[in-house]
DNA sequence: TATCGTGACATACCGACGGTATGTGAAAGG
DNA sequence: CCTTTCACATACCGTCGGTATGTCACGATA
């Protein structure tokens, strides 16, 4: 790889790292581009050479965060053989991962507001969202869940886990409430299962 | 009431109405104060005389929206005698009410991002959120739901309904998908019930 | 290796935004 | 009446996101 192309990647990675840190700490609206480029040690010229706008920079950060979460969920789920266990383990992994503060603010709070809910949803479905729909489809096919349209149930569960993660992180002591929340989620998932 | 005090209320109501319309249509970030005061037929002096900041104006709008939703939910629920039916009817009413586009963007998308999730949650609990926690507590007391901590289950259900409403409104044809979504929610709620 | 185009930035600047300080005229109080 | 108060209007500010232009090292070509 070229020196130029490599340097470009370094600058881009630095901007992504610093903007992710600042966005996570104080939110999209409260962080200025001047702040970001100062933290990254470059100027606005560099930023606008690499990203089209502030919103596009945020989108790139969000993409990175979502892929991290999707990877964790996929790895946890794939470690299980039983389809039902894959389902519940993946959900629990998502809940735990989404409790991290930087993932919270970027992925769950600012994401929909900055990009609009439609685009946010589209990005989510390219990440962990599709895993959920896939595994639910599988469970219906195998007769473990009553036959039903997949999309509504997927969004009910996705929203439940998102909100639970937000509450967990905001509740002061996530570690303390995690067991109860995991238990409540487990009860909810088990309740969906056919006898 | 004074002429002055009455005029003040008129101006305030006009600003709330116009800003709600604009916030709902294009989102908090994309609407400027100049636009709002122009639509309301006043100047920024009036706006800053009545509200401390743009965020405080938004908070006043959100408060209004949340109270409307809470009223609908409460009226629907209170029309039922059976505790379990009160629960499910209230949830269905919330789902339907939250599908309205202006309620969507203001209450579910921009609310957490503009005010922060903690403040948004606090406001929600002053509105329809507390109803949900109350009725769940009641159902546990009556032995209709397994004994468990109330908060985690409340947030799981609240998040499920929020996300389902967002998906419903974004799915192009809400009327078409509403029955399936209501059915999925009903299944989820029934699954929580003790035999 | 001399040349020259290209690209990865830096610099300088713009209009618009949220917010504030001050002015004004009509209603309220005496 | 006369004075105070208050619901605004006017004029202005610093900062923001965004852009147009300059600069200089790299890299391909002869």
């Amino acid at each position: 790889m070229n020196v130029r192309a490599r340097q470009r990647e370094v600058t881009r990675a630095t901007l992504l790292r610093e903007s992710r840190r600042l966005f996570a700490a104080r939110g999209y609206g409260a962080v200025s581009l001047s702040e970001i480029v100062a933290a990254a040690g470059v100027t606005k010229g560099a930023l606008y050479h690499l990203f089209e706008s502030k919103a596009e920079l945020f989108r790139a950060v969000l993409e990175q965060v979502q892929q991290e979460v999707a990877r964790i969920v996929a790895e946890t789920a794939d470690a299980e053989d039983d389809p039902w266990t894959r389902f519940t383990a993946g959900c629990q992994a998502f809940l735990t991962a989404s409790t991290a503060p930087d993932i919270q603010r970027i992925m769950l709070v600012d994401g929909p507001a900055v990009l609009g809910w439609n685009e946010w949803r589209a990005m989510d479905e390219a990440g962990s969202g599709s895993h959920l729909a896939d595994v639910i489809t599988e469970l219906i096919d195998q007769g473990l869940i009553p036959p039903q349209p997949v999309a509504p149930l997927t969004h009910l569960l996705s929203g439940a886990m998102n909100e639970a993660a937000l509450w967990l992180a905001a509740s002061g002591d996530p570690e303390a409430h995690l067991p109860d929340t995991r238990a409540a989620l487990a009860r909810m998932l088990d309740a969906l299962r056919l006898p």
Side-chain angles (χ1 to χ4, degrees), chain A:
Chain A
M1 200 194 243
N2 280 341
V3 170
R4 288 235 285 236
R6 190 162 49 233
Q7 183 53 41
R8 183 189 171 98
E9 286 309 307
V10 169
T11 305
R12 186 184 149 90
T14 306
L15 278 169
L16 282 176
R17 195 184 65 237
E18 293 304 314
S19 55
R20 171 172 174 171
R21 191 174 56 80
L22 291 165
F23 285 153
R26 307 208 316 276
Y28 177 84
V31 175
S32 74
L33 295 182
S34 322
E35 225 174 327
I36 292 174
V37 295
V42 296
T43 65
K44 285 209 289 183
L47 195 155
Y48 275 93
H49 182 65
L50 291 163
F51 301 94
E52 284 189 1
S53 65
K54 189 187 181 188
E56 280 301 314
L57 170 63
F58 178 83
R59 175 199 296 275
V61 171
L62 173 57
E63 209 161 315
Q64 191 178 295
V65 171
Q66 276 183 331
Q67 279 171 10
E68 285 180 25
V69 172
R71 198 181 50 82
I72 293 176
V73 170
E75 282 179 4
T76 307
D78 290 347
E80 305 292 335
D81 284 337
D82 177 54
W84 183 262
T85 311
R86 258 214 309 282
F87 172 51
T88 57
C91 287
Q92 299 286 1
F94 180 85
L95 181 67
T96 308
S98 302
T99 305
D102 59 329
I103 291 179
Q104 293 260 317
R105 178 99 212 197
I106 292 171
M107 193 173 87
L108 302 180
V109 175
D110 283 339
V114 173
L115 304 177
W117 191 85
N118 281 302
E119 289 202 33
W120 176 78
R121 169 50 55 195
M123 286 185 67
D124 185 69
E125 262 156 34
S128 55
S130 63
H131 286 97
L132 185 56
D134 288 348
V135 72
I136 288 178
T137 305
E138 189 187 359
L139 292 173
I140 291 177
D141 288 344
Q142 300 204 354
L144 293 171
I145 281 182
Q148 59 188 290
V150 175
L153 180 58
T154 304
H155 287 92
L156 281 169
L157 289 178
S158 170
M161 291 184 284
N162 285 349
E163 180 81 3
L166 284 164
W167 171 75
L168 210 50
S171 70
D173 189 357
E175 306 293 332
H177 300 284
L178 183 57
D180 280 347
T181 308
R182 290 178 72 108
L185 178 59
R187 259 192 302 270
M188 177 175 281
L189 298 181
D190 281 335
L192 296 173
R193 191 175 187 172
L194 282 173

